[in-house]
Amino acid sequence: MIQRVSQLASKGVLRSVAEAVSVLTPVSMSHQTVWKITQVAGQAIDEIRIAEADYRETTVAERKQLPVLFVEGDAFMIKGKGKFPKQLMVHRFQVYEGVKLNGQRRRLINRHVISSLSHSTVLKELKAYLDQHYDLSKTKLITGSDNGSGYTPSVFDDIAGMAQSHQHILDRYHLNRKIRTRLSTLPKQLVNGLIKTINHGHFNQIPAYLDTAESLAVDREALADVQLLRAYFRRNWPSIEPLGNPGFAHVVHSLGSCESNHRRYTYRLKHQGRSWTKAGLTAMLRVIDAQQNNDLEATLIKRPDFAKPLAPKIPRLIPKLLKQVKTTHQGIHHGSIVADAAYSSPIGHLAQIFNNSI
């Protein structure tokens, strides 16, 4: 019951979940109860994840040895709740083993996600997960991010650990967005040409594009944007250069999916003016992570109190609901109107009415 209720609560409104439980099961539940159950599940998962990160099994018999492994990281903001509400930063990392084409769509293979309000916590759990599931001694680790604070190449160098090699790439989504933002006042042909030049690895043409952009700047603000873009290229060049490498052409399409996968979280956490306490947001993040990793039930049953039947009295209600309850009926009352009653009596008056209506 806890697993199913918390899973539904991670996808929809609490009142709708409470109504569904009440309609489809013999249990009546309020939306406050749904939220309490979700918090209990989230707190339990949080405790389990912290314990797993502290205790690293370095002797796992079946560690995967892969030629390539992918790690991405990003963050987003959520509105806080309290006397002095402020924005809460949610840090997310995802690990996957490759990309599989499904028609026109791409699916990440064996994706595992980790989220937390603490950057240090999510890094610790990510390292523990990699240590427990992968032998990186012969693996090329490819990482991607927007190179923002907390997601710089040096952070991923620390994550790489014992990997055979490591290549960090600035994902094209953030790079293209930066170019379009800085050159928003310039002709689209120039902007698209610069993006195409980078994607094809014609890096010697980039200075010409930037010089042209400076000459076309209509005011000081536009000129400053071009200069900022030039500095952005210099600062992030080691992460931009692999985008033009033909050897990485088959992987750059998947990098940036961490940003698009925020949608599963933001749709539940941001809409309809929602705000969260730290404890409530942590619990919901843990439930969504477990649901995304398809191990919600497997994680909850690690707690002994969740492994036993959660509501043993519930099945006993079903026979009671189906059992027919005996009730006493009064039956049908019989009566008649006599024809020779006195006209002055009520029955006589009623008989006179019937006679006159014939």
Side-chain angles (χ1 to χ4, degrees):
M1 177 65 75
I2 289 181
Q3 179 252 330
R4 289 175 174 80
V5 171
S6 58
Q7 183 174 358
L8 290 173
S10 72
K11 297 180 178 180
V13 182
L14 299 181
R15 293 183 185 274
S16 299
V17 175
E19 184 178 0
V21 172
S22 300
V23 170
L24 300 175
T25 71
V27 181
S28 180
M29 190 176 294
S30 66
H31 69 280
Q32 294 97 333
T33 303
V34 172
W35 177 230
K36 289 179 182 178
I37 290 176
T38 306
Q39 285 183 301
V40 168
Q43 290 168 3
I45 297 171
D46 188 52
E47 294 172 3
I48 292 170
R49 295 289 184 246
I50 292 174
E52 289 175 343
D54 288 335
Y55 179 67
R56 300 186 183 183
E57 289 188 28
T58 57
T59 58
V60 178
E62 295 295 332
R63 282 184 177 179
K64 292 183 180 180
Q65 281 192 344
L66 303 173
V68 180
L69 187 66
F70 301 86
V71 178
E72 290 187 68
D74 204 356
F76 59 90
M77 304 295 291
I78 293 294
K79 184 179 179 182
K81 179 188 292 186
K83 187 175 181 180
F84 302 102
K86 61 179 181 179
Q87 295 290 320
L88 300 174
M89 179 77 76
V90 177
H91 300 277
R92 289 190 61 245
F93 283 89
Q94 66 178 24
V95 181
Y96 56 97
E97 300 174 3
V99 182
K100 182 178 180 180
L101 284 176
N102 184 11
Q104 297 296 323
R105 299 176 64 87
R106 293 179 173 86
R107 182 179 64 84
L108 304 183
I109 301 173
N110 292 332
R111 182 172 69 104
H112 183 85
V113 297
I114 304 172
S115 307
S116 176
L117 297 180
S118 168
H119 187 262
S120 59
T121 298
V122 77
L123 281 178
K124 182 178 180 180
E125 293 183 16
L126 174 61
K127 293 177 183 177
Y129 178 80
L130 293 175
D131 287 345
Q132 293 166 7
H133 293 84
Y134 298 100
D135 179 2
L136 301 178
S137 59
K138 299 180 180 180
T139 300
K140 182 179 185 65
L141 190 67
I142 298 179
T143 59
S145 70
D146 61 356
N147 285 6
S149 177
Y151 301 91
T152 56
S154 60
V155 173
F156 289 92
D157 285 336
D158 185 51
I159 294 172
M162 299 300 294
Q164 184 183 46
S165 61
H166 171 221
Q167 178 64 62
H168 183 75
I169 302 176
L170 177 65
D171 66 78
R172 292 199 302 185
Y173 171 82
H174 289 97
L175 175 61
N176 294 346
R177 186 173 67 177
K178 178 67 72 172
I179 294 174
R180 295 186 189 280
T181 300
R182 293 301 184 193
L183 304 182
S184 59
T185 60
L186 300 180
K188 289 185 178 180
Q189 184 178 1
L190 176 69
V191 177
N192 294 334
L194 177 57
I195 293 175
K196 187 176 180 179
T197 295
I198 295 174
N199 292 338
H200 289 177
H202 302 153
F203 299 133
N204 59 332
Q205 299 179 14
I206 294 178
Y209 274 96
L210 294 178
D211 292 341
T212 303
E214 287 183 347
S215 66
L216 295 176
V218 294
D219 52 28
R220 290 184 178 180
E221 185 177 352
L223 179 61
D225 283 338
V226 177
Q227 293 171 347
L228 287 173
L229 181 61
R230 193 188 293 271
Y232 177 82
F233 283 150
R234 287 196 299 266
R235 186 170 62 253
N236 294 286
W237 186 249
S239 304
I240 296 175
E241 191 173 15
L243 291 172
N245 187 338
F248 293 107
H250 65 290
V251 303
V252 295
H253 294 287
S254 66
L255 295 176
S257 60
C258 189
E259 172 90 13
S260 60
N261 288 332
H262 286 340
R263 212 174 289 125
R264 172 65 182 85
Y265 296 79
T266 55
Y267 279 7
R268 180 63 184 88
L269 302 174
K270 280 191 172 184
H271 291 289
Q272 299 176 338
R274 296 184 181 115
S275 58
W276 300 81
T277 62
K278 286 187 176 181
L281 181 56
T282 298
M284 184 59 77
L285 287 173
R286 290 299 194 183
V287 172
I288 296 177
D289 279 352
Q291 190 269 330
Q292 290 282 283
N293 296 330
N294 296 318
D295 64 355
L296 179 58
E297 184 176 5
T299 303
L300 288 176
I301 62 176
K302 292 180 180 180
R303 285 278 297 267
D305 48 339
F306 290 167
K308 0 179 233 192
L310 300 176
K313 294 182 180 179
I314 290 177
R316 300 177 187 174
L317 294 176
I318 299 176
K320 292 183 179 180
L321 293 172
L322 298 177
K323 184 179 179 181
Q324 294 183 356
V325 180
K326 294 183 179 180
T327 56
T328 304
H329 297 279
Q330 294 182 355
I332 301 174
H333 294 275
H334 297 275
S336 61
I337 300 176
V338 296
D340 54 351
Y343 286 110
S344 59
S345 65
I347 292 298
H349 286 296
L350 183 60
Q352 187 178 8
I353 293 175
F354 285 151
N355 290 333
N356 292 336
S357 62
I358 297 176

